[in-house]
Amino acid sequence: GSEMCIRDSSTTLLNEKGDGVVISSLYSREHISIFSKPIKKFGSEFEMSTEEKDVIKQAKENLSQGK
């Protein structure tokens, strides 16, 4: 049968130039998967989910505000 995705989450670790990593986890009934993607200048050569894009956008906004 098909797995039901129960929860997913993403976080990012970036320097002021927008270089770093985004880490995402997917929790299902059967297992937990953790993915990481390299980030360069607030973007990635890999396809990103909406949540991954959102956490990178938020990090960029926080960095520009000096937080």
Side-chain angles (χ1 to χ4, degrees):
S2 65
E3 290 185 15
M4 180 179 179
C5 183
I6 297 169
R7 185 175 153 221
D8 64 349
S9 64
S10 297
T11 191
T12 189
L13 303 169
L14 300 174
N15 66 15
E16 64 281 352
K17 295 179 182 178
D19 299 338
V21 65
V22 64
I23 301 169
S24 301
S25 55
L26 298 173
Y27 300 81
S28 71
R29 291 182 182 200
E30 301 298 321
H31 66 278
I32 298 171
S33 299
I34 299 175
F35 306 92
S36 64
K37 297 173 185 171
I39 304 299
K40 183 121 179 133
K41 296 181 181 174
F42 301 101
S44 181
E45 63 185 75
F46 298 94
E47 185 176 342
M48 291 190 292
S49 70
T50 300
E51 185 165 319
E52 290 169 331
K53 290 175 187 175
D54 287 348
V55 297
I56 291 169
K57 180 182 175 188
Q58 184 64 49
K60 185 176 184 179
E61 290 172 1
N62 289 345
L63 285 167
S64 69
Q65 295 172 3
K67 291 186 179 177

